[in-house]
């Protein structure tokens, strides 16, 4: 793992010769990501992220914390929050912002001493699942991290809008598996990194949640077919 995403975050925060971070997927062309946006304040967050932070309670685990904007906001509100990310560079950026509890680890390998009341997975939280057939593995791991009565707040998008629509309202989707399974590519400082990234439409997430012992609730919907869901046991 080259950790180009984390390197771009840390370079930007420390002003260590930051350069454009280029992203592309198997269904979209190359585009430049605004790394500054990853450090956004609450007022600049999408409505579904704001809603998730308003619903967060108790002991909170921010999974895939990235640049730490969600964890930092919650900490500033006096809440007990841990920022978790497998990126060493991203976690270093979180520490430099004085986020008090930071852990560099994959969520599948994470073995905390206590459980959590709220698990946050934002900025397409289902992305870390990678592939549709890994969804159950991740949901079962997330369940093990929850206190009784705890909640998972997770967002994603239905990418159906990315595919051409015919005159009857149908969509032309390649017959190569689930349409939300993408190959994500990053380019940064002359290096390239690829990894699978999963977008789940709400019905698919709901079905997977029910199959793994969760109740799934659609909390909010945003622009571009994105949504926030709450999973409880």
């Amino acid at each position: 793992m080259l950790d180009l995403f984390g390197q771009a975050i840390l370079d930007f925060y420390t002003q260590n010769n930051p350069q454009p971070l280029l992203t592309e997927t198997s269904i979209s062309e190359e585009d430049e990501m605004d790394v500054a946006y990853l450090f956004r304040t609450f007022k600049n967050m999408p409505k579904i992220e704001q809603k998730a932070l308003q619903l967060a309670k108790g002991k909170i685990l921010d999974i895939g914390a990235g640049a730490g904007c969600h964890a930092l906001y919650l900490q500033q509100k006096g809440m007990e929050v841990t920022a978790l990310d497998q990126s060493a560079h991203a976690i270093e950026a979180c520490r430099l912002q004085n986020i008090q509890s930071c852990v560099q680890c994959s969520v599948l390998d994470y073995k905390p001493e206590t459980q959590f009341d709220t698990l946050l997975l934002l900025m397409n939280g289902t992305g870390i699942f990678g592939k549709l057939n890994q969804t159950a593995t991740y949901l079962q791991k997330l369940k093990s991290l929850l206190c009784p009565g705890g909640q998972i707040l997770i967002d994603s998008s239905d990418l159906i809008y990315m595919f051409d629509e015919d005159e009857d309202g149908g969509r032309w989707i390649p017959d190569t598996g689930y349409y939300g399974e993408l190959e994500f590519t990053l380019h940064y400082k002359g290096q390239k990194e690829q990894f699978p990234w999963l977008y789940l439409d709400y019905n698919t997430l709901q079905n997977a949640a029910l199959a793994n012992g969760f109740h799934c609730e659609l909390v909010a919907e945003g622009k571009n077919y994105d949504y926030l869901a709450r999973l409880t046991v």
Side-chain angles (χ1 to χ4, degrees):
M1 178 178 172
L2 293 175
D3 193 12
L4 298 185
F5 192 71
Q7 185 182 347
I9 287 171
L10 186 58
D11 286 350
F12 180 87
Y13 186 74
T14 60
Q15 288 302 293
N16 179 30
N17 186 31
Q19 295 182 18
L21 176 64
L22 303 178
T23 68
E24 62 180 298
T25 75
S26 45
I27 62 169
S28 62
E29 297 179 352
E30 185 175 276
D31 191 22
E32 183 174 328
M33 175 179 284
D34 182 6
V35 179
Y37 180 70
L38 302 177
F39 293 88
R40 61 196 175 278
T41 60
F42 181 84
K43 69 178 182 180
N44 292 320
M45 293 178 188
K47 296 297 183 183
I48 60 173
E49 289 184 17
Q50 293 179 348
K51 183 65 173 180
L53 296 181
Q54 290 165 346
L55 292 172
K57 59 184 180 180
K59 189 174 183 181
I60 303 162
L61 180 65
D62 183 10
I63 299 171
C69 63
H70 303 120
L72 185 61
Y73 171 82
L74 293 169
Q75 180 177 281
Q76 291 170 343
K77 289 293 182 180
M79 306 186 80
E80 184 180 359
V81 58
T82 295
L84 176 75
D85 204 293
Q86 66 179 354
S87 164
H89 293 307
I91 287 299
E92 178 61 18
C94 289
R95 292 194 176 107
L96 289 173
Q97 295 172 86
N98 295 315
I99 295 174
Q100 297 302 304
S101 178
C102 300
V103 178
Q104 189 260 309
C105 185
S106 162
V107 67
L108 292 181
D109 295 328
Y110 186 43
K111 298 178 181 178
E113 295 181 359
T114 59
Q115 293 174 306
F116 296 87
D117 300 292
T118 300
L119 305 181
L120 280 180
L121 296 94
L122 300 179
M123 284 196 73
N124 188 45
T126 65
I128 63 170
F129 301 172
K131 296 287 186 180
L132 183 62
N133 64 10
Q134 290 297 305
T135 300
T137 298
Y138 277 88
L139 289 178
Q140 287 299 320
K141 176 62 180 184
L142 296 178
K143 184 188 289 187
S144 75
L145 298 175
L146 277 181
C147 291
Q151 62 177 347
I152 300 170
L153 298 170
I154 185 168
D155 67 355
S156 193
S157 301
D158 185 352
L159 295 188
I160 192 68
Y161 77 96
M162 297 283 289
F163 297 89
D164 292 333
E165 185 175 0
D166 62 27
E167 59 185 14
D168 297 320
R171 299 281 181 172
W172 292 95
I173 301 172
D175 187 19
T176 54
Y178 177 62
Y179 65 84
E181 289 183 340
L182 304 187
E183 187 73 15
F184 207 91
T185 304
L186 296 177
H187 300 270
Y188 186 66
K189 290 188 172 180
Q191 293 185 293
K192 176 181 176 181
E193 184 173 18
Q194 292 181 302
F195 49 88
W197 196 247
L198 179 66
Y199 288 84
L200 284 180
D201 67 276
Y202 176 71
N203 286 339
T204 300
L205 174 63
Q206 184 182 46
N207 289 337
L210 293 174
N212 284 277
F214 288 98
H215 170 71
C216 184
E217 171 191 1
L218 180 62
V219 175
E221 294 179 278
K223 300 176 181 178
N224 295 326
Y225 296 77
D226 56 335
Y227 66 86
L228 173 67
R230 174 163 50 191
L231 277 59
T232 53
V233 180

